Amino acid sequence: MDLRLWSLLLAAVCGVTVEGFKNGKVTAACDSMVPLHDQHSPSVQPSSPYMVTVDKRKFSPGDKIKVSILPSGSGAKYFEGFLLEARDAGHLDGPAVGSFDLVDLTISQLLNCGNIQGSAVSHTSKTKKTEVQVIWNAPKDSPPSVQFLATVVQHYSTFWVKIPAPVVSQNGVTPLPTRPTMTVETTTPSVLPKPFSSEGCGSKKSCLRGPVGCHPETDPDCFFLSFAPVGHSVVFELSGPAEGYVAFALSLDKWMGNDDVYQCVRNGDRVDIEAAYVKGRTHPEGASGSGISDAAWRLADGIIQCRFRREVRIPQDHRRFDLDKSYYLFLANGRAEYGKVHRHDRQPLISTYKKVITGSPENMNGSRSPLMMKFHGALMLVAWMTAATTGIIIARYFKPSWPDRTIFGQKVWFQVHRVMMILVVLLTGTGFILPFIYRGGWSSRAGAHPYLGCTVMTLAVLQPFMAIFRPPPDSARRYIFNWMHMGAGTSAVIIAVAAMFLGVGQQALLLPTVVSNVALVGFAVWFAVAFLVLELQKQGLLKRETQSTGDDDPILFETSQADYKDSMVKNVVLAVFIIGNVGFVIALLCSINSV
């Protein structure tokens, strides 16, 4: 299951159906009048804080009746969504009857339920509303008695289904009594008495943890998933620090498609334990807690924990995976509002290999970054922190060094510079294509980082082409090449450093903030100090006068001694710079390996 697509798995918009409800296009709910808000159940009918009123109790075919939805005064002050229909009071499970006219087109719209145009009314957006009024037109074939039913959504996960209005009847017909249309029996998960323990991991239950070996009972930053077969079922334990939810998924591969998802979502002061399913590049579809039993949860100190049991096989629901087969495991967390999940905060923790859920217990390893993205980061760091900076220093400050030494017929400084720059181009080019292979195209969520990367890649490729077509050293136009070559190279390094600072915060390669920032800042300061010392030395500001002994020609002696000391200073600065530079690179590479 591809990590880029897992980000959609637990997306903030909660799927196609949720987007439909935001704009009121809810014809899919015409019959049941139940919002398709994932696994959330309607609130119990008697507790509804809303009411539906009518301006008359008697009517004749062709009459108009004003219907209103508003808070009943029992606590609610507004609502976000609604669905209103008229039904035959003697057959409330039947189709909608009659049609409506709108009073306020900005907050309400007509829907076609069944084959009747305008037979229902819904919201146009999720803006807060204090009252909605519409006009119902009684049809010629109107039933003897009619009852208006409304589903009202207070928030995403809080709604009341089929709130009844008083029954209205045709003239001369004895009115039917108003009666509730829906009762809901719910099973409330129990509250866990204490945090989960990692005791038994590898011996009694399988565990996936991040960081590796962490303990959920003592470590507030520990993400923890355990599972153990019990008879014909499996008990799952899920824990992690999160503002809104923790979740895990069973996947046949590391690419999105046909995935079994389980979420523990904070909803106020409780936790909803939900089953979902995702297919293709879509958002998860609710499964009404399919197969979940013995659910329990705990919410304390910013840590969400939940436990539930699931049967190994659920034949009646083909979307639930058989647990006696092997799957990759994904562990994610993120924010939630009113029980509605948002995009996960960081890259999911993914098991290194497939695991049979009912198999023997073991401690599993995982990573939050795919190997391809780790190579991308490593190649770019080596290219621009080591190869590029070393090549620049050699070209700018070591041209006079080793005047009589050559490598393959060229001066030492030139060959070292050329090798370093070729290495930069090769490493950058290889690292450049890896994210495109991994993402399958352009990443729209990476901010400015990919734009800076493309700029760096362009400048890196431009440099060798400029070098190939550079004019001879004695050419009158040589200075143009010199300035362009130096300007492009300097710009590339500056932009590359900015890209690295942004890169260590990307979800696909999210490095520990303190380690990565200290290493990058240290590298930048280290390079700047080395550059400054060498520049001062080049300008003669660090030279000291040498006293002659009188035995040799003073001019020749002082010159040779000065050149020797200059060379020693440069060599020491270069050596110290390379050692420190390699140290910063190794620190970042170790950080990449740890995620």
Side-chain angles (χ1 to χ4, degrees):
M1 177 174 172
D2 192 346
L3 297 187
R4 66 191 174 93
L5 300 175
W6 169 264
S7 63
L8 294 175
L9 173 67
L10 300 174
V13 292
C14 293
V16 176
T17 57
V18 175
E19 286 299 326
F21 280 105
K22 287 182 179 180
N23 58 28
K25 304 296 186 181
V26 293
T27 52
C30 278
D31 293 336
S32 67
M33 299 189 69
V34 177
L36 305 178
H37 289 187
D38 287 352
Q39 299 79 20
H40 298 289
S41 300
S43 300
V44 178
Q45 179 69 30
S47 65
S48 169
Y50 304 99
M51 60 182 180
V52 184
T53 64
V54 293
D55 67 344
K56 62 177 68 175
R57 297 291 188 91
K58 293 289 184 178
F59 72 95
S60 298
D63 283 355
K64 295 180 181 293
I65 298 177
K66 183 169 71 173
V67 186
S68 302
I69 303 174
L70 66 163
S72 62
S74 59
K77 296 181 180 179
Y78 64 87
F79 54 95
E80 295 181 354
F82 68 94
L83 175 62
L84 176 65
E85 296 180 22
R87 301 274 182 95
D88 184 343
H91 303 280
L92 291 176
D93 292 331
V97 298
S99 62
F100 290 91
D101 292 329
L102 303 178
V103 174
D104 188 346
L105 279 67
T106 62
I107 61 174
S108 58
Q109 63 182 329
L110 297 177
L111 298 179
N112 299 334
C113 287
N115 297 321
I116 304 176
Q117 187 173 1
S119 55
V121 185
S122 71
H123 53 282
T124 57
S125 70
K126 66 172 185 176
T127 56
K128 296 178 179 179
K129 309 161 189 64
T130 56
E131 183 178 2
V132 172
Q133 294 183 345
V134 294
I135 304 299
W136 180 70
N137 302 304
K140 295 181 180 180
D141 57 350
S142 177
S145 296
V146 172
Q147 188 169 31
F148 297 96
L149 304 175
T151 291
V152 180
V153 178
Q154 186 178 61
H155 299 300
Y156 173 75
S157 62
T158 305
F159 51 85
W160 288 261
V161 175
K162 292 184 178 179
I163 302 172
V167 174
V168 296
S169 302
Q170 292 195 43
N171 293 313
V173 175
T174 302
L176 295 175
T178 300
R179 52 193 173 93
T181 60
M182 186 175 192
T183 58
V184 178
E185 295 183 1
T186 59
T187 301
T188 303
S190 60
V191 178
L192 294 166
K194 60 181 181 179
F196 294 143
S197 172
S198 58
E199 183 179 355
C201 284
S203 59
K204 297 181 180 179
K205 57 186 178 181
S206 295
C207 298
L208 175 63
R209 291 178 279 181
V212 175
C214 67
H215 302 285
E217 64 271 33
T218 58
D219 187 352
D221 297 320
C222 182
F223 289 90
F224 175 82
L225 171 65
S226 74
F227 46 93
V230 179
H232 297 289
S233 63
V234 176
V235 175
F236 291 91
E237 294 178 334
L238 180 61
S239 173
E243 296 181 22
Y245 70 89
V246 289
F248 74 92
L250 308 177
S251 178
L252 296 171
D253 50 34
K254 293 187 177 182
W255 301 91
M256 190 174 185
N258 302 323
D259 302 310
D260 195 358
V261 185
Y262 299 88
Q263 305 175 130
C264 300
V265 185
R266 180 172 182 173
N267 191 0
D269 57 357
R270 72 176 191 272
V271 175
D272 296 332
I273 302 173
E274 307 167 348
Y277 177 81
V278 64
K279 57 182 179 180
R281 298 186 62 179
T282 61
H283 302 294
E285 300 176 0
S288 301
S290 175
I292 291 179
S293 62
D294 298 338
W297 57 271
R298 186 175 186 270
L299 186 62
D301 302 322
I303 298 175
I304 298 174
Q305 296 188 326
C306 65
R307 173 193 291 141
F308 63 89
R309 181 190 300 268
R310 216 217 78 176
E311 296 297 316
V312 174
R313 294 175 179 269
I314 306 177
Q316 65 272 23
D317 189 348
H318 68 279
R319 299 185 302 178
R320 302 272 72 83
F321 287 1
D322 294 338
L323 301 183
D324 54 359
K325 298 179 180 179
S326 62
Y327 307 99
Y328 288 102
L329 293 164
F330 286 70
L331 182 57
N333 68 292
R335 296 177 297 108
E337 184 179 12
Y338 302 119
K340 170 184 173 182
V341 298
H342 292 253
R343 174 183 169 84
H344 55 77
D345 294 332
R346 58 187 300 194
Q347 200 75 2
L349 178 66
I350 305 176
S351 62
T352 306
Y353 49 84
K354 284 185 176 182
K355 167 66 179 172
V356 178
I357 307 303
T358 57
S360 58
E362 61 179 297
N363 278 307
M364 304 178 63
N365 294 322
S367 173
R368 291 188 179 274
S369 180
L371 187 61
M372 194 174 295
M373 295 306 296
K374 289 184 176 182
F375 272 110
H376 165 74
L379 292 174
M380 290 302 188
L381 291 176
V382 173
W384 293 99
M385 288 182 65
T386 302
T389 53
T390 302
I392 289 174
I393 288 176
I394 292 292
R396 182 166 180 80
Y397 300 110
F398 285 82
K399 287 182 180 180
S401 301
W402 316 297
D404 300 325
R405 296 182 182 180
T406 62
I407 300 177
F408 298 115
Q410 295 288 346
K411 290 186 176 181
V412 173
W413 77 265
F414 180 77
Q415 293 289 49
V416 173
H417 174 72
R418 181 158 61 180
V419 169
M420 290 294 102
M421 293 301 105
I422 291 175
L423 187 61
V424 168
V425 175
L426 293 177
L427 293 177
T428 302
T430 304
F432 179 78
I433 65 175
L434 293 180
F436 289 95
I437 297 174
Y438 165 64
R439 293 289 182 186
W442 184 263
S443 175
S444 60
R445 296 182 179 272
H449 179 73
Y451 295 97
L452 295 180
C454 289
T455 304
V456 170
M457 184 72 251
T458 301
L459 292 173
V461 172
L462 184 63
Q463 287 288 74
F465 278 100
M466 284 196 297
I468 291 173
F469 295 103
R470 67 186 184 277
D474 57 352
S475 172
R477 295 176 296 176
R478 177 72 178 206
Y479 76 95
I480 298 176
F481 162 77
N482 292 339
W483 279 104
M484 290 182 63
H485 190 61
M486 183 182 67
T490 304
S491 299
V493 171
I494 293 173
I495 297 173
V497 171
M500 286 187 286
F501 272 98
L502 295 178
V504 297
Q506 296 296 315
Q507 278 209 5
L509 191 62
L510 185 61
L511 303 186
T513 303
V514 175
V515 174
S516 59
N517 285 344
V518 168
L520 286 175
V521 171
F523 152 73
V525 172
W526 195 255
F527 179 56
V529 170
F531 199 89
L532 178 62
V533 171
L534 291 171
E535 188 64 30
L536 292 175
Q537 190 275 338
K538 181 179 181 180
Q539 300 301 326
L541 299 179
L542 297 182
K543 292 182 179 180
R544 293 184 302 171
E545 293 185 0
T546 303
Q547 299 296 327
S548 172
T549 62
D551 296 332
D552 300 297
D553 187 303
I555 297 178
L556 294 177
F557 179 82
E558 291 178 9
T559 301
S560 61
Q561 289 281 36
D563 290 343
Y564 174 75
K565 289 189 175 183
D566 288 348
S567 179
M568 284 295 297
V569 169
K570 290 193 296 184
N571 290 342
V572 170
V573 172
L574 178 62
V576 172
F577 167 74
I578 292 177
I579 292 172
N581 182 286
V582 171
F584 290 123
V585 172
I586 290 176
L588 287 169
L589 293 179
C590 291
S591 182
I592 289 175
N593 184 61
S594 68
V595 298

